[in-house]
Amino acid sequence: MRAALLQMTSTPDVAANTAAMVAAVAEAKAGGADMLLTPEVSNCLGAPRAEQDALLHEEADDPTLRAVQEAAAEHGLWVLIGSLALKSGDPEGRLANRSFLIDAVGVVQARYDKIHMFDVALSAEETYTESAAYRPGMEAVLPETPWGKVGLSICYDLRFPHLYRALAQAGADILTVPSAFSRPTGRAHWEVLLRARAIETGAFVLAPAQTGVHGESKSGPRATHGHGLAVAPWGEVLLDMGEAPGLAFVDLDLGQVAAARRKIAALTHDRTFHGP
């Protein structure tokens, strides 16, 4: 399988973000990719909450989703939209942070709503309360593809290893972690957490990322870490995209999944225990 990872600097300009994704579908196909993966909130990042109602749509009316589906069908390419920010019908007005797996004829094969919300205080100046703006999901999702099963996740989910263990024990060959990681947490934790999830599960990890400065938040400029990564089941970093936006390719030998799990069959070694 050849995967193409798109590293983006999404902004509040939904039309421009959508055009970049559609162009990446064509570029990925021309480069021999079987699947394109985009980062978290590919459609809109950096808009103040008060402006999002005018910018965002519900899934049935979302122009980004429709455009990417059409491009996937035109070029015969599978696409993982890392996530879109969408209106959700939530009674409290919260949005959905939703990932879409689209097949090569443009049909949505799976949807995943981000489960874990990024509610953190990195410093007195930099705080995030994602749960105030987004409704958390409740379902783990493991769709089939022609290359194997793909376990879906989004960004802050990365810090909850039990999700990935459950996906791997259910047969995931590839784990996707599209993200908009903050710079402080990215510098400290991004690579080590992705490598750990790969090693723990014996799966490939594909993590397309947002990068650069996206606009202003209540804490100041909204900036992300970049460094979209692909990690092999034994923990080797196969691709590090650095900080520049763009497209990069990585070839995956899915036989390495079974090989890693034969060497260390930790997914079958769970034991019950008491305490603490």
Side-chain angles (χ1 to χ4, degrees):
M1 174 186 175
R2 169 165 268 209
L5 274 62
L6 177 62
Q7 187 151 282
M8 299 181 70
T9 305
S10 295
T11 70
D13 188 339
V14 174
N17 301 332
T18 301
M21 296 167 70
V22 168
V25 174
E27 185 179 352
K29 183 66 175 182
D34 300 298
M35 182 184 295
L36 168 70
L37 299 91
T38 80
E40 183 181 22
V41 288
S42 295
N43 62 327
C44 184
L45 183 57
R49 182 67 182 92
E51 297 177 12
Q52 288 178 336
D53 281 346
L55 295 171
L56 302 180
H57 301 78
E58 295 196 4
E59 178 182 325
D61 303 314
D62 187 73
T64 303
L65 176 59
R66 182 169 60 249
V68 174
Q69 285 182 272
E70 291 171 355
E74 178 184 352
H75 295 283
L77 186 73
W78 283 69
V79 180
L80 178 85
I81 298 177
S83 79
L84 300 176
L86 298 169
K87 294 179 179 178
S88 70
D90 179 73
E92 298 175 18
R94 291 179 297 175
L95 305 170
N97 190 343
R98 183 170 298 157
S99 187
F100 293 90
L101 183 64
I102 301 166
D103 69 17
V105 295
V107 175
V108 174
Q109 291 294 332
R111 297 166 176 81
Y112 166 74
D113 283 6
K114 184 177 182 180
I115 293 173
H116 301 97
M117 297 288 100
F118 189 54
D119 292 352
V120 302
L122 302 179
S123 68
E125 294 76 29
E126 190 169 1
T127 64
Y128 300 91
T129 311
E130 190 175 24
S131 62
Y134 289 90
R135 181 188 68 190
M138 295 292 293
E139 299 290 334
V141 178
L142 184 63
E144 293 267 9
T145 74
W147 308 278
K149 292 184 177 180
V150 179
L152 306 185
S153 72
I154 300 171
C155 202
Y156 190 55
D157 285 332
L158 181 58
R159 295 183 182 273
F160 300 86
H162 51 281
L163 172 61
Y164 300 90
R165 186 170 189 82
L167 290 166
Q169 288 177 325
D173 302 290
I174 299 167
L175 302 168
T176 59
V177 194
S179 296
F181 241 65
S182 73
R183 285 181 173 171
T185 60
R187 286 191 294 265
H189 301 149
W190 172 244
E191 180 178 322
V192 69
L193 286 173
L194 289 167
R195 294 184 69 195
R197 297 297 88 84
I199 292 165
E200 291 163 353
T201 62
F204 282 97
V205 173
L206 300 179
Q210 292 280 358
T211 191
V213 178
H214 309 273
E216 291 289 326
S217 71
K218 64 181 180 181
S219 304
R222 176 69 189 272
T224 54
H225 175 64
H227 292 274
L229 286 188
V231 185
W234 203 245
E236 308 97 323
V237 174
L238 303 176
L239 172 69
D240 182 336
M241 296 183 68
E243 296 182 2
L247 193 71
F249 296 86
V250 61
D251 293 310
L252 311 182
D253 174 3
L254 275 299
Q256 292 182 22
V257 175
R261 291 173 181 174
R262 280 195 303 269
K263 291 176 182 178
I264 300 179
L267 293 174
T268 67
H269 293 164
D270 293 79
R271 291 179 56 83
T272 57
F273 53 87
H274 303 291

